Amino acid sequence: MKHILLTGGAGFIGSNYLNHILNERDDYFIVNLDKLTYAGNLENLKGIENNKNYRFVKGDICNRELVDYIFQKYSIKYVINFAAESHVDRSILGSEIFYQTNVIGTNVLLETARRYNVEKFLQVSTDEVYGSLGAEGLFTENTPLSPNSPYSSSKAAADMMVNAFYHTYGMPVVTTRCSNNYGPLQFPEKLIPLMTINAMHDKKLPVYGDGLNVRDWIYVIDHNKAINLVFEKGRTGEVYNIGASREMKNIDIVKLLLKAVGKDESLIEYVKDRPGHDRRYAIDSSKIQTELGWKPEFEFEQAIENTINWYKQNRNWWERIISGEYVKYYNNLYMNR
Ligand code: NAD
Ligand code: DAU
């Protein structure tokens, strides 16, 4: 039995991972440590909450005593660190919590993992640490880190720390860097759920700048399968890029979503650009493909349709979210654009 501490499992990617993996593996015992910030939602985990190989602990990865207690109590030997403040716009509104959770929190996990001689520490990172591309080229694992937002700089700092623990202490670490995810259970501050839900409400769709920024999209299930492969077979000290080679301009995504929801393009509103907005992301994932035999299984057209249908069929899930605190956040970010 592998005793795993998984952090941030009540968020978008972590909850998709848990829902999938606990039905697939009976040799994993997983403790999910999640602070339940605005982005964490236990409703995402209803299907597995009584699984005998699963425990939930509400708490902060920055809490050294709690993290130590979990390692001891559950004989933790593996860590998968999903927990993070994950939204670029929020990091622009206020950066402190990003450095606290993403940098200090990762340090607490690494230090504790070192004391307990973990057998593997997987850091879930992002392609945003590489900065921005021009019209040509792809991010490889050798692209220098050049983060531009408080969010991406905090993730890059964590990546460097993970690397330092490998070189200095010989810790068995491995890092994944994935491109933009979409799928069920994504918090509606991110482009795809935000635009889909706004369109359903006949609300304006706020496109930043000229709408020509490019993101490279991957279905969350493909990302999670790659994470699991790296967790099982990734080489210690290595970084693996993950992406599905599906570059799209933001405006094209927005038009596609409008069409799928049956709404008119007159809902599009160009608004003031995001400060420091990275122009283009695109991933070269040939390393994980050739070394570990991973490849994306989902076609974008089918997976985006599944995603939009999920938001159509799960109004209760997002209606609860977009009332309350979300209204304050939304008005604060979008009113002055
Ligand atoms: P999310 O914001 O949906 O979820 C983050 C989760 O972490 C939430 O459940 C939240 O409660 C928890 N959390 C936050 N601070 C915490 C703390 N201090 N202690 C414990 N738990 C805490 O994020 P996501 O989109 O699921 O992203 C998960 C990870 O994947 C992040 O590390 C992110 O950087 C990375 N990533 C995301 C994407 C993407 O497109 N969403 C792409 C590549 C990498
Ligand atoms: O690349 C991986 C990253 O992808 C992850 O590390 C981050 O956690 C995740 O949030 C995501 O970052 P982005 O900033 O690329 O995602 P977001 O959904 O916020 O924005 C996608 C694009 O859409 C980006 O170019 C900004 C634009 N956008 C976004 C919003 C929310 C708009 O034009 N209007 C909007 O209202």
Side-chain angles (χ1 to χ4, degrees):
M1 187 67 93
K2 279 194 159 104
H3 286 228
I4 303 166
L5 171 62
L6 182 148
T7 67
F12 164 49
I13 304 175
S15 64
N16 273 289
Y17 178 87
L18 283 167
N19 286 324
H20 176 78
I21 209 71
L22 283 165
N23 286 317
E24 183 147 295
R25 304 286 299 237
D26 53 16
D27 58 332
Y28 285 9
F29 177 84
I30 304 184
V31 180
N32 171 17
L33 172 62
D34 196 297
K35 188 180 169 186
L36 298 182
T37 67
Y38 77 92
N41 185 350
L42 286 181
E43 228 185 292
N44 299 355
L45 298 165
K46 278 246 167 304
I48 51 130
E49 64 190 4
N50 295 321
N51 189 302
K52 65 178 187 340
N53 289 340
Y54 173 71
R55 298 287 183 282
F56 174 71
V57 178
K58 180 178 185 304
D60 193 331
I61 59 169
C62 301
N63 182 338
R64 284 173 203 280
E65 289 72 30
L66 176 63
V67 171
D68 191 277
Y69 170 79
I70 292 170
F71 269 76
Q72 196 173 27
K73 172 159 183 184
Y74 295 107
S75 309
I76 298 297
K77 282 290 171 198
Y78 299 86
V79 177
I80 305 179
N81 184 25
F82 283 99
E85 287 293 336
S86 69
H87 192 38
V88 174
D89 290 320
R90 286 188 193 252
S91 80
I92 295 167
L93 292 174
S95 64
E96 197 179 334
I97 187 69
F98 283 75
Y99 295 111
Q100 184 65 28
T101 287
N102 301 358
V103 185
I104 303 298
T106 302
N107 179 254
V108 169
L109 293 173
L110 282 166
E111 283 292 2
T112 315
R114 186 161 78 87
R115 273 202 306 283
Y116 283 86
N117 295 317
V118 292
E119 289 173 28
K120 192 157 237 178
F121 187 108
L122 189 153
Q123 175 69 3
V124 180
S125 188
T126 166
D127 63 352
E128 295 202 13
V129 296
Y130 297 123
S132 186
L133 290 166
E136 301 289 319
L138 301 172
F139 296 133
T140 74
E141 289 81 358
N142 297 322
T143 303
L145 304 194
S146 180
N148 294 315
S149 72
Y151 162 68
S152 55
S153 67
S154 70
K155 294 293 290 186
D159 284 16
M160 288 180 155
M161 199 182 339
V162 167
N163 185 50
F165 271 63
Y166 168 65
H167 282 284
T168 308
Y169 305 115
M171 251 188 81
V173 301
V174 66
T175 300
T176 57
R177 296 193 181 128
C178 189
S179 61
N180 286 63
N181 284 221
Y182 63 97
L185 301 169
Q186 186 168 30
F187 194 87
E189 64 193 351
K190 307 280 164 56
L191 181 78
I192 288 180
L194 183 142
M195 297 296 179
T196 306
I197 289 169
N198 278 17
M200 286 187 207
H201 282 145
D202 291 307
K203 215 169 148 182
K204 289 286 184 193
L205 274 49
V207 174
Y208 298 161
D210 60 8
L212 300 179
N213 297 63
V214 171
R215 296 293 181 265
D216 190 353
W217 295 93
I218 182 170
Y219 196 47
V220 64
I221 295 176
D222 275 332
H223 179 190
N224 280 333
K225 285 190 172 172
I227 285 182
N228 212 249
L229 199 57
V230 172
F231 178 60
E232 286 290 337
K233 302 202 169 117
R235 280 186 298 133
T236 294
E238 293 292 313
V239 172
Y240 293 89
N241 281 353
I242 304 168
S245 302
R246 188 57 198 231
E247 289 182 55
M248 298 273 291
K249 295 187 185 82
N250 292 339
I251 190 64
D252 292 337
I253 293 259
V254 168
K255 286 180 180 169
L256 176 155
L257 296 173
L258 277 168
K259 197 161 165 218
V261 177
K263 296 294 167 72
D264 196 81
E265 289 185 12
S266 59
L267 283 177
I268 294 172
E269 181 174 52
Y270 287 93
V271 299
K272 198 161 127 227
D273 209 354
R274 174 187 276 176
H277 197 174
D278 287 337
R279 192 61 171 171
R280 175 172 164 260
Y281 302 150
I283 278 268
D284 175 347
S285 63
S286 54
K287 178 174 173 181
I288 187 173
Q289 301 215 20
T290 52
E291 217 178 89
L292 304 183
W294 174 84
K295 64 174 178 359
E297 290 167 17
F298 289 86
E299 284 298 329
F300 178 80
E301 283 67 22
Q302 186 56 55
I304 193 78
E305 196 183 316
N306 294 349
T307 304
I308 296 162
N309 286 338
W310 188 87
Y311 284 93
K312 283 181 182 164
Q313 288 156 11
N314 289 276
R315 291 187 81 101
N316 280 346
W317 183 87
W318 53 262
E319 271 171 354
R320 266 196 288 281
I321 291 173
I322 64 167
S323 54
E325 269 302 304
Y326 182 82
V327 179
K328 254 206 256 163
Y329 159 76
Y330 194 94
N331 290 341
N332 184 22
L333 185 67
Y334 291 96
M335 276 315 183
N336 303 320
R337 275 201 140 105

